[in-house]
Amino acid sequence: GDSVTQMEGPVTLSEEAFLTINCTYTATGYPSLFWYVQYPGEGLQLLLKATKADDKGSNKGFEATYRKETTSFHLEKGSVQVSDSAVYFCALNSGGYNKLIFGAGTRLAVHP
Amino acid sequence: NAGVTQTPKFQVLKTGQSMTLQCAQDMNHEYMSWYRQDPGMGLRLIHYSVGAGITDQGEVPNGYNVSRSTTEDFPLRLLSAAPSQTSVYFCASTARGPEDGYTFGSGTRLTVV
């Protein structure tokens, strides 16, 4: 079945460092891909998405490119801030199915 | 404020007790879902609904019931609580499907002792 694999955390960075969180997927067909973020004590929020190969989703300085050839959707940010500390979830939706499949989540901790 | 409202925020149950987790949205979204979040496992779909009167099972439906009598409300019922149901539960909604991205509630932390 469809699945999402994320790099294990926690990822610990200093402020202004470059961030990459790896995400790879297995799916039949052509899924849409998402990154959600969960701040402490809150529900998940949609961060960005991409619906077809080579699309780049971006929001709040974060970017991710849908790479069909490597089945990947890695999240990147050029300069992280303390306020970016959160858990990041990669997810996919296979067209026609009314559900999202989530990865296990990657915790990011950014220190001043 | 528009969004998804979940109640209660915290709950402790004894094994065998039943309870209902409430979820309401005021955005007129057709699609609603319940997920549980467990450490190291991400979120897993329990039940979902594509509109009033229509529900279906997700990945981990056993021990849970749902109904959707109105567009706004999507309660989740635990029939006979078990320690394995200790988790954080999230309700989510979207207007036209997962492609649009979901709006999540703030969660209910449930402990079954």
Side-chain angles (χ1 to χ4, degrees), chain A residues 24-101:
Chain A
T24 57
Y25 67 90
T26 302
T28 54
Y30 303 95
S32 294
L33 302 173
F34 305 83
W35 277 101
Y36 280 80
V37 58
Q38 183 180 30
Y39 298 103
E42 298 183 9
L44 280 70
Q45 302 174 23
L46 179 63
L47 181 59
L48 54 84
K49 68 176 183 179
T51 58
K52 61 182 187 297
D54 299 326
D55 269 2
K56 177 184 285 188
S58 62
N59 187 24
K60 299 181 181 179
F62 291 89
E63 294 183 339
T65 300
Y66 189 146
R67 301 287 189 198
K68 193 172 189 304
E69 64 276 13
T70 55
T71 62
S72 65
F73 193 55
H74 305 322
L75 183 68
E76 297 181 336
K77 186 176 186 184
S79 176
V80 294
Q81 305 300 312
V82 172
S83 57
D84 293 326
S85 299
V87 181
Y88 292 82
F89 291 91
C90 186
L92 70 82
N93 168 243
S94 292
Y97 294 92
N98 297 305
K99 64 179 182 180
L100 288 176
I101 297 172

Side-chain angles (χ1 to χ4, degrees), chain A residues 32 34 36 38 41-44 46 49 51 89 93 97-100 102-104, chain B residues 31 33 35 37 40-43 45 48 50 90 98-102 104-106:
Chain A
S32 294
F34 305 83
Y36 280 80
Q38 183 180 30
E42 298 183 9
L44 280 70
L46 179 63
K49 68 176 183 179
T51 58
F89 291 91
N93 168 243
Y97 294 92
N98 297 305
K99 64 179 182 180
L100 288 176
F102 286 89
Chain B
Y31 291 79
S33 300
Y35 287 86
Q37 182 181 25
M41 301 186 71
L43 279 77
L45 182 66
Y48 66 94
V50 301
F90 288 101
E99 301 282 315
D100 289 343
Y102 274 98
F104 280 80
S106 58

